Amino acid sequence: MSFQQKDMDSFKQILSFMKHMVLNSTSSDLRFYLQSLVDIGVISSEYYHSLLSESDSEDLCRKISLSLLENPDDCHALFSPVCEEEEMPTIFDDLSILNSTESYLKLLNSDIDVACESQEADADDFEDISLNFQDCKELFTDDVVSTLRTVDISDIEELVNYTNGDGNNCMDELLSSLSKPEECAEEPENKRARKTCPSIKSPRKPRQRRKKKDTTALHERYTGNEIPIPLSTTNLPFLFTSAEPFVGAGNSYHPCPFSVVPDSTLQIKIIICPAPAPGPALSCVSTLPPIPVPEHQTLPTNTSVPPSPDRNGSCSPFAPSAADLPNSPDAAAMCHFPSMELVNSFIEAQKQLYHSKFALERECLYTETVLVNSRINLETGKVGTKTAERELLNYDSTEKETETLELLKLFEDKDRKEMETKTIALLGQSGMGKTVLAKKICHEWSAEKFNQFSFVFYFECKQLDACKQYSFKDFLFKLSSCAEEKSLDVYQYVLRNPEKVLLIFDGFDEFQDSESLLQGSFTTSPSKTNKVKDLFTGLFQKKLLRGCTLLITARLREKLNQYLGKVDKIIEVMGFSPTQVEWYIKEYFKERPDFSNALEWIKDYHYVFSYCYIPFMCKTMCLFAEENLETRNKELPLSLAALFDDLFKKNLLVPATCFGERTSVQNCTVDLACLDFESDKKMEAERQTQKLPTDTGNTMERTPSNTLLQNFSTALHILGGRNGRNLLRYISCDPKKRRNEDMVRRFLIGLTFDDSGNLDLKFSDPAKKQKKLSEYFQALQLSALCPRRLLEVLHCVHETDNPYLMRRLAVTLSKELSFVDTRLTPPDVFVLTEVLKKSKAKLSLDLRKTSIDQKGLKELVRLKSVKSFRASLSDTVNLWKTLLADGQNILLKKCIRKFTLQPFKVESMKDVADLTALVDIQNDICKCSPDSSLDIKEIPAVKNLNSLMLGLGKKHGQDGFLKLVEILPKLPALQKLDLYNLTENYIGDKGVEKLAEKIPELRCLQTLDLSQNNITGVGAKKLAAALPSLHSLQTLSLYNNIVCDTGAEELANILPDMTSLEALHLDCNIITCTGAEQLVASLQKCPKMKKLRMYSTLIPHATLQRFQLRDPRIGCVSIG
């Protein structure tokens, strides 16, 4: 057997053992054994982290086995704790095979698959390289040493010559005399064979014997000339010790070169014992305490396998270099074992800090906002562009309830891979409470919740300077809200246990230079430095501190938007529900009897109250009511601009106790560069040094942390500066220009058109500006605007409080308004309702996939100008049930008559359930017919539905259709049943059989498309038996199925009975000439048929052409 064959056999034995161990070990056990490999020098620390990030268990076992292949002596010490009752692989005893470096390199560069059968190779291609006997100093306890025999110094020369291959019979006799049979374990058979095995000579490189050591060298060394003599332990079943200590190289220990100090009193002993047999004899190695190693200059050691270059001393050629893994901790960062006492002390200090720092103030009312698991809507947005406008899915009420999750379950993920970084994006509008929620998580962690994390690091992105350089250690402990007690032990523990680390980055939109997060270089060395941006990039790319959890908070459709495809989980903060809004306002004034009517007073300002689903705006309205409840005239309109101006003047929006510390204007994240002009750069420089005036005469450099306040501050500065003359360019809603700050635009409009005298703005000629803006809005082509920009125009027009302008705008609206896949918030619904009230035309609304709430849907469908509407089936059914339960029969009757369903496409199993619920509710509504106010016999949308399409795909196609087919007879006007719709639904023969049972009840069906549904001849036979009862069927398509000649024969037999059939499509089936002949013959009996397509690869083209000559109605080309 060649050396290569032996290596492959050895590898397979190790691999099978490793697979068994990995499958029966926990992740912590596996991490411990991999760390043990690092400690004994089998693999490098870089390779250790590479193995931890390996997601495939097969590859992990294969890589570990390759590393162990060259270190057989370490296998017993490593795996004996695991295999106490199991048999160790016998390959670990075969020391004559496993130490050929060249064979490993050839194995690496060869085409041999190490997972498959090994191939024969020429033994001459491999060179027999001596073994590197592993250091076994830990084996020598006092009891063992007391039983060992000694030898005189006169035998050293012979012993040295023997170890270098120049031994003689005298030395053999000496060794045999020193080892008694009853005391020495029998030498393994493979080692005895190794000694007697003749060397294999290679014709390309003849083997050279080692030069015989000069005996004078030993005498010179003994007499005082310290000339190091390397003592090879190859093939020697004995261990040497000397007075010299062991020195450590990395994490492994090696004996010092044997040296003799010139001392006449020195007694040198050579302790000789047989090599311990592998297996149970070595099981004690891992249980012995480590031997303390004094500091000593590292000396070169003799190893039979040369270390791989740039791999931290690792001998494995498969270990990656430091350059290949720049993100992994260097050896210096991982060689120190952390003290758990210091680690626990730091964790306790961190919890105490968070408990005091992030505790909610007594006057602060904390209310759990709605958190929803969200996903990217792949059907919308310009995904290919750099600033990809990725939109999130808009859930209806039922889906939102299903996807809602509790705060304590935010980080749960059953499908998370081992040692894989989990990135969570927490998204929401400005003021939704993302920062409060992030701090709440820190506070809950300090209260012994979120116990899956030992460390929580909180970063404020607005405080991070992307260009400054820090080491990763300083990045964690200096830039975060961290306790003062920090040491190298804590850093080591973080690196070794990344799965216990949570990193929170709050306010990603305020992070400077957030572009190019997918490129960067970084390192975790405690001494090397990188830019903050690069360190964040390494974390975001899941290369730095791999296995940790990242929580990033950001605003919707802002800087993080283009990277949403790289995150693992998207959580959207939906804000307050209507019930929570009322609860908050009542609790705010609970201890103020004089404000008992505050809730009703706030509700009277309908437009501003619609913003109270945003927690910040709810708090703002409470502040406004607290100051103006007794003094303000309720008849005065209240715009957003007037609201914020009143609170700004009274300095109520920026106290440090409510909304964060006061900061300078230069920290404002709403820069004027996003408002289109190059000339605004000068104004931005001026704005950084200006101070906002207050009504008290004092000045204060301030920019509130909330974006809404920043937007208002920006609008004030624009109107108060010389750039106010360019106001029209700020207001522009041109779709060709990039999206501006919507709230800045609304504030500008509100400030410009305010005539109440409350706003103290000093800009020239306000009437002229109002006229220009009015002319601009009147000239807008609303039909050219997308739904989102149309809503923004409606908001701006409402801020003008100009009824004439609103009527002009209502006239220009399209008669078919579609807001599909556009989020409709309560303020959006309010302004849309106000404009439609002034419209005299009859409009149709499409409100599907808008996440509109039930209150907003109710307000829109009751409008006289709305003649019909479409909305989510579940939202519509829930609205009907609510109106029916509340006794609002007149409004219910209007909603039922206006609702339309034409056409309807089933795209999910939820659509099947919703359509079934819509059909079933018809019976409940008809039961109320004795009531004169609700005389409804049937739902018009169900009665008039004439087109139904199925698009569930292969996974749910058959199951969904089996449920859908049950309600088909309840759709009396159904004319088209499309089960293809460019989707392979695969309803199969089972679905066709169920359909055949219902076909006699589908009296109006004209088109039946069963293309690409995996229908065989059996299904075609069932279908053919039921088709004659369809007297209105005009088109039947079985394109691209598995219909054979049997099915074609059945269809040919019923063709003459189907007098209404005009087209039959049988392309791309497995019909042969036999079935085609029967179809052609039957076609002659069907004079009303206009087309028969039956192209098949099994029918020769000449035959098809002959059929076409006989009857031109036959198509010979497949169109699909």
Side-chain angles (χ1 to χ4, degrees):
M1 182 183 297
S2 64
F3 284 170
Q4 187 176 11
Q5 181 66 35
K6 291 181 181 180
D7 284 347
M8 291 306 304
D9 292 342
S10 305
F11 173 77
K12 286 190 288 185
Q13 290 189 42
I14 300 177
L15 181 61
S16 62
F17 176 76
M18 284 304 308
K19 288 181 178 179
H20 176 75
M21 192 202 74
V22 170
L23 291 176
N24 293 276
S25 301
T26 62
S27 59
S28 59
D29 292 337
L30 187 58
R31 185 193 297 272
F32 172 77
Y33 291 121
L34 290 177
Q35 183 61 45
S36 301
L37 287 176
V38 177
D39 295 339
I40 63 177
V42 175
I43 61 176
S44 63
S45 58
E46 290 87 358
Y47 199 38
Y48 163 79
H49 284 273
S50 177
L51 292 176
L52 287 182
S53 62
E54 182 59 60
S55 58
D56 191 342
S57 59
E58 292 287 339
D59 290 343
L60 176 63
C61 296
R62 194 171 293 116
K63 291 178 180 180
I64 297 177
S65 301
L66 287 172
S67 299
L68 291 177
L69 191 63
E70 64 186 25
N71 296 274
D73 296 331
D74 296 322
C75 298
H76 292 288
L78 180 62
F79 296 109
S80 56
V82 190
C83 309
E84 294 178 357
E85 299 180 359
E86 299 181 15
E87 183 180 358
M88 293 285 290
T90 57
I91 188 58
F92 297 152
D93 299 337
D94 190 4
L95 303 180
S96 62
I97 300 175
L98 301 179
N99 287 275
S100 176
T101 304
E102 186 175 352
S103 65
Y104 298 146
L105 296 177
K106 287 183 176 292
L107 180 63
L108 176 65
N109 298 320
S110 66
D111 297 330
I112 301 175
D113 186 357
V114 294
C116 304
E117 292 293 332
S118 58
Q119 304 176 6
E120 293 293 338
D122 188 3
D124 295 338
D125 294 338
F126 303 96
E127 182 178 357
D128 186 13
I129 301 179
S130 58
L131 294 173
N132 177 23
F133 195 79
Q134 191 67 20
D135 183 10
C136 297
K137 182 176 180 179
E138 296 181 0
L139 289 175
F140 291 95
T141 61
D142 295 338
D143 295 336
V144 176
V145 173
S146 63
T147 61
L148 301 178
R149 304 185 62 185
T150 60
V151 67
D152 240 348
I153 191 61
S154 58
D155 297 321
I156 290 180
E157 181 179 355
E158 290 294 334
L159 185 59
V160 171
N161 293 335
Y162 182 84
T163 60
N164 287 280
D166 300 329
N168 50 33
N169 295 333
C170 296
M171 196 61 206
D172 291 334
E173 294 176 0
L174 172 63
L175 295 176
S176 61
S177 65
L178 290 172
S179 302
K180 294 183 179 181
E182 62 273 12
E183 297 177 355
C184 304
E186 184 179 357
E187 189 177 10
E189 181 180 353
N190 56 347
K191 292 188 177 183
R192 294 197 302 269
R194 170 75 180 212
K195 292 180 180 181
T196 58
C197 180
S199 60
I200 301 177
K201 298 181 180 180
S202 173
R204 290 174 293 182
K205 184 178 179 180
R207 185 163 183 169
Q208 299 179 356
R209 293 186 61 85
R210 295 175 181 170
K211 294 182 179 181
K212 187 174 181 179
K213 299 294 181 180
D214 190 0
T215 57
T216 57
L218 181 62
H219 295 294
E220 291 177 359
R221 181 182 181 117
Y222 183 66
T223 55
N225 299 326
E226 296 194 22
I227 303 175
I229 302 177
L231 299 180
S232 174
T233 58
T234 305
N235 296 329
L236 181 62
F238 304 99
L239 302 175
F240 297 86
T241 62
S242 70
E244 293 293 330
F246 278 41
V247 295
N251 290 328
S252 59
Y253 298 105
H254 303 279
C256 289
F258 189 84
S259 62
V260 180
V261 181
D263 190 350
S264 58
T265 62
L266 176 65
Q267 180 183 4
I268 300 180
K269 295 184 179 181
I270 301 179
I271 303 177
I272 304 178
C273 69
L282 288 179
S283 62
C284 62
V285 174
S286 60
T287 61
L288 292 176
I291 299 177
V293 181
E295 295 184 0
H296 194 282
Q297 183 179 359
T298 303
L299 298 177
T301 58
N302 181 30
T303 173
S304 58
V305 182
S308 301
D310 300 327
R311 283 169 170 78
N312 289 353
S314 174
C315 298
S316 173
F318 306 98
S321 64
D324 299 329
L325 294 173
N327 55 295
S328 301
D330 56 356
M334 295 298 293
C335 64
H336 176 72
F337 287 91
S339 169
M340 290 307 301
E341 181 179 357
L342 296 177
V343 172
N344 293 332
S345 174
F346 173 82
I347 294 175
E348 186 63 27
Q350 186 81 336
K351 288 186 176 181
Q352 293 178 1
L353 174 66
Y354 283 177
H355 188 76
S356 60
K357 183 175 182 179
F358 297 137
L360 295 175
E361 300 178 2
R362 294 179 180 178
E363 65 273 12
C364 182
L365 295 175
Y366 178 78
T367 306
E368 292 284 353
T369 56
V370 180
L371 302 179
V372 176
N373 272 316
S374 189
R375 297 186 299 274
I376 297 176
N377 189 356
L378 300 179
E379 298 179 0
T380 61
K382 302 176 182 179
V383 180
T385 61
K386 182 179 179 180
T387 57
E389 295 185 359
R390 298 175 183 265
E391 299 290 342
L392 300 183
L393 287 176
N394 296 320
Y395 294 136
D396 58 31
S397 58
T398 304
E399 291 174 322
K400 188 183 299 183
E401 184 177 351
T402 304
E403 297 294 337
T404 300
L405 76 160
E406 299 177 2
L407 178 62
L408 295 179
K409 297 181 179 180
L410 179 64
F411 302 103
E412 291 184 1
D413 187 3
K414 297 180 181 180
D415 300 328
R416 181 175 181 177
K417 296 181 180 180
E418 187 75 17
M419 291 307 300
E420 185 69 22
T421 297
K422 178 73 177 235
T423 305
I424 302 175
L426 185 66
L427 306 180
Q429 291 178 261
S430 177
M432 278 294 186
K434 301 181 293 296
T435 297
V436 174
L437 188 62
K439 294 181 178 180
K440 177 70 173 177
I441 292 173
C442 296
H443 187 266
E444 292 296 314
W445 173 74
S446 68
E448 303 303 328
K449 298 179 181 179
F450 300 108
N451 292 326
Q452 64 267 44
F453 302 115
S454 297
F455 298 91
V456 176
F457 296 97
Y458 176 82
F459 297 86
E460 291 185 88
C461 291
K462 64 181 179 182
Q463 304 294 342
L464 299 180
D465 190 342
C467 297
K468 284 191 176 181
Q469 293 199 353
Y470 294 90
S471 65
F472 186 62
K473 179 175 178 291
D474 292 339
F475 175 79
L476 289 178
F477 296 109
K478 290 185 178 181
L479 298 186
S480 67
S481 299
C482 187
E484 294 298 329
E485 294 84 355
K486 42 187 174 285
S487 64
L488 182 61
D489 294 80
V490 179
Y491 181 63
Q492 295 295 331
Y493 190 85
V494 169
L495 295 182
R496 292 173 182 270
N497 301 274
E499 73 281 358
K500 299 181 180 180
V501 179
L502 170 63
L503 303 175
I504 301 178
F505 291 90
D506 183 30
F508 177 81
D509 309 284
E510 302 176 24
F511 187 70
Q512 303 174 12
D513 192 16
S514 60
E515 299 292 333
S516 304
L517 286 183
L518 301 182
Q519 297 88 25
S521 59
F522 35 84
T523 180
T524 56
S525 171
S527 57
K528 297 181 181 178
T529 61
N530 291 95
K531 291 182 179 180
V532 170
K533 176 185 175 181
D534 293 335
L535 293 173
F536 180 84
T537 299
L539 293 170
F540 188 78
Q541 293 180 5
K542 305 181 181 182
K543 296 180 180 179
L544 190 60
L545 199 62
R546 188 165 187 175
C548 67
T549 301
L550 293 181
L551 178 63
I552 305 174
T553 69
R555 295 191 293 270
L556 286 171
R557 297 184 297 276
E558 293 291 343
K559 294 181 179 180
L560 189 61
N561 199 60
Q562 56 183 316
Y563 304 112
L564 289 181
K566 302 297 181 180
V567 303
D568 302 297
K569 192 175 184 180
I570 300 176
I571 304 297
E572 185 175 0
V573 185
M574 306 301 294
F576 285 164
S577 64
T579 304
Q580 289 176 320
V581 171
E582 295 186 5
W583 176 90
Y584 186 94
I585 296 175
K586 290 179 180 178
E587 286 293 317
Y588 189 92
F589 296 103
K590 181 173 62 175
E591 299 179 358
R592 308 273 302 269
D594 51 332
F595 287 90
S596 58
N597 61 336
L599 177 60
E600 299 301 325
W601 188 86
I602 293 175
K603 283 185 175 181
D604 289 340
Y605 296 103
H606 303 287
Y607 176 58
V608 181
F609 178 73
S610 66
Y611 280 94
C612 286
Y613 78 100
I614 302 175
F616 174 80
M617 289 297 299
C618 192
K619 176 67 177 292
T620 302
M621 282 302 298
C622 290
L623 290 173
F624 179 78
E626 193 173 10
E627 292 292 325
N628 301 277
L629 183 63
E630 302 295 338
T631 59
R632 182 177 173 84
N633 185 0
K634 294 179 59 176
E635 296 181 358
L636 291 177
L638 181 64
S639 63
L640 279 178
L643 171 67
F644 276 76
D645 180 72
D646 181 85
L647 297 179
F648 252 65
K649 286 181 177 179
K650 298 176 181 179
N651 197 22
L652 295 176
L653 284 182
V654 288
T657 58
C658 295
F659 300 102
E661 299 178 357
R662 298 171 181 175
T663 56
S664 61
V665 176
Q666 63 184 0
N667 293 328
C668 179
T669 59
V670 184
D671 56 354
L672 297 178
C674 70
L675 298 175
D676 289 345
F677 302 148
E678 295 181 0
S679 60
D680 291 335
K681 295 180 180 179
K682 297 181 180 179
M683 191 176 72
E684 181 182 4
E686 297 174 1
R687 179 172 60 93
Q688 293 179 359
T689 58
Q690 278 191 348
K691 300 179 180 180
L692 297 176
T694 63
D695 58 344
T696 60
N698 299 327
T699 58
M700 177 178 60
E701 290 187 349
R702 57 175 184 171
T703 296
S705 58
N706 186 273
T707 308
L708 291 173
L709 301 181
Q710 295 174 8
N711 290 334
F712 182 75
S713 176
T714 303
L716 282 177
H717 190 79
I718 292 174
L719 290 177
R722 60 188 180 187
N723 286 68
R725 60 180 180 272
N726 294 324
L727 182 62
L728 188 60
R729 299 179 63 183
Y730 286 108
I731 303 301
S732 174
C733 295
D734 190 348
K736 295 182 180 180
K737 294 184 178 181
R738 61 179 176 175
R739 184 175 59 87
N740 296 331
E741 289 288 341
D742 294 339
M743 294 304 299
V744 174
R745 185 187 295 109
R746 298 178 196 179
F747 284 133
L748 286 173
I749 296 293
L751 293 173
T752 303
F753 279 85
D754 184 82
D755 297 326
S756 62
N758 295 327
L759 301 182
D760 185 17
L761 294 177
K762 299 178 181 180
F763 59 88
S764 60
D765 203 356
K768 184 178 180 180
K769 295 181 183 297
Q770 293 178 8
K771 182 179 179 181
K772 286 185 177 181
L773 292 179
S774 299
E775 293 175 351
Y776 169 76
F777 286 120
Q778 293 179 27
L780 274 178
Q781 297 293 329
L782 299 184
S783 59
L785 299 178
C786 66
R788 187 174 302 282
R789 290 188 180 273
L790 174 61
L791 289 173
E792 183 57 29
V793 171
L794 298 183
H795 276 284
C796 293
V797 172
H798 185 271
E799 283 286 327
T800 64
D801 194 29
N802 188 337
Y804 173 77
L805 188 58
M806 295 183 69
R807 285 195 297 269
R808 288 292 303 267
L809 191 67
V811 172
T812 59
L813 287 176
S814 173
K815 301 302 183 289
E816 300 287 339
L817 285 179
S818 176
F819 296 95
V820 178
D821 286 319
T822 302
R823 180 74 56 86
L824 289 180
T825 62
D828 296 333
V829 175
F830 180 84
V831 296
L832 180 60
T833 302
E834 291 298 310
V835 173
L836 293 181
K837 285 180 180 179
K838 296 175 172 55
S839 175
K840 297 181 180 181
K842 299 298 182 180
L843 307 174
S844 296
L845 295 179
D846 194 345
L847 305 175
R848 291 174 295 168
K849 301 179 181 180
T850 58
S851 292
I852 187 173
D853 59 5
Q854 189 176 104
K855 180 182 177 181
L857 180 61
K858 178 181 175 180
E859 294 297 327
L860 285 174
V861 299
R862 74 191 311 167
L863 296 175
K864 294 181 180 180
S865 58
V866 177
K867 67 176 182 180
S868 64
F869 76 96
R870 289 196 67 177
S872 166
L873 288 185
S874 60
D875 288 344
T876 305
V877 171
N878 290 336
L879 176 61
W880 290 352
K881 290 181 179 179
T882 302
L883 295 177
L884 186 62
D886 295 342
Q888 302 183 39
N889 295 332
I890 297 178
L891 182 57
L892 174 60
K893 188 174 182 179
K894 289 182 179 180
C895 293
I896 293 176
R897 289 180 176 177
K898 291 181 179 182
F899 180 66
T900 182
L901 198 61
Q902 193 74 254
F904 186 76
K905 181 178 180 180
V906 178
E907 297 180 302
S908 65
M909 295 295 290
K910 181 181 178 298
D911 291 338
V912 178
D914 290 345
L915 184 59
T916 304
L918 179 65
V919 174
D920 293 340
I921 199 178
Q922 184 173 230
N923 299 329
D924 299 334
I925 293 177
C926 292
K927 292 178 182 178
C928 302
S929 57
D931 191 341
S932 59
S933 63
L934 186 62
D935 186 13
I936 297 179
K937 301 297 183 183
E938 55 190 359
I939 298 177
V942 177
K943 176 184 177 182
N944 300 326
L945 181 62
N946 57 27
S947 178
L948 183 61
M949 296 171 286
L950 185 69
L952 293 178
K954 298 179 181 179
K955 185 176 182 180
H956 302 291
Q958 188 178 82
D959 295 337
F961 180 73
L962 291 177
K963 295 179 179 180
L964 183 65
V965 73
E966 297 294 338
I967 63 173
L968 292 182
K970 299 179 182 180
L971 305 176
L974 187 62
Q975 297 178 359
K976 180 180 180 181
L977 181 58
D978 187 355
L979 304 183
Y980 169 43
N981 196 243
L982 302 179
T983 307
E984 298 179 359
N985 292 298
Y986 274 33
I987 67 172
D989 294 337
K990 188 176 180 180
V992 171
E993 182 179 359
K994 199 70 176 179
L995 175 63
E997 298 175 3
K998 305 294 182 181
I999 277 182
E1001 303 179 53
L1002 306 179
R1003 298 182 179 89
C1004 298
L1005 191 64
Q1006 298 178 1
T1007 302
L1008 179 59
D1009 193 344
L1010 299 173
S1011 303
Q1012 295 191 174
N1013 275 287
N1014 203 31
I1015 302 173
T1016 67
V1018 177
K1021 184 177 180 180
K1022 295 285 185 180
L1023 182 66
L1027 283 177
S1029 61
L1030 276 178
H1031 301 294
S1032 59
L1033 188 64
Q1034 298 177 1
T1035 303
L1036 174 63
S1037 177
L1038 288 167
Y1039 164 77
N1040 198 17
N1041 282 284
I1042 321 175
V1043 180
C1044 58
D1045 289 340
T1046 304
E1049 181 181 357
E1050 295 294 334
L1051 291 173
N1053 294 335
I1054 56 102
L1055 280 183
D1057 300 331
M1058 301 182 66
T1059 56
S1060 61
L1061 190 65
E1062 297 180 356
L1064 176 61
H1065 301 165
L1066 294 173
D1067 294 326
C1068 299
N1069 283 276
I1070 54 175
I1071 301 175
T1072 64
C1073 295
T1074 303
E1077 287 284 356
Q1078 295 176 341
L1079 288 171
V1080 172
S1082 180
L1083 182 62
Q1084 306 301 321
K1085 305 175 185 179
C1086 305
K1088 293 186 179 181
M1089 280 197 65
K1090 299 179 181 179
K1091 186 183 298 183
L1092 172 62
R1093 286 165 40 185
M1094 56 179 183
Y1095 170 82
S1096 174
T1097 57
L1098 302 178
I1099 304 176
H1101 188 67
T1103 303
L1104 287 175
Q1105 287 183 329
R1106 187 171 66 253
F1107 289 154
Q1108 191 176 26
L1109 291 176
R1110 290 171 54 184
D1111 195 328
R1113 294 176 296 176
I1114 299 176
C1116 61
V1117 178
S1118 175
I1119 301 177

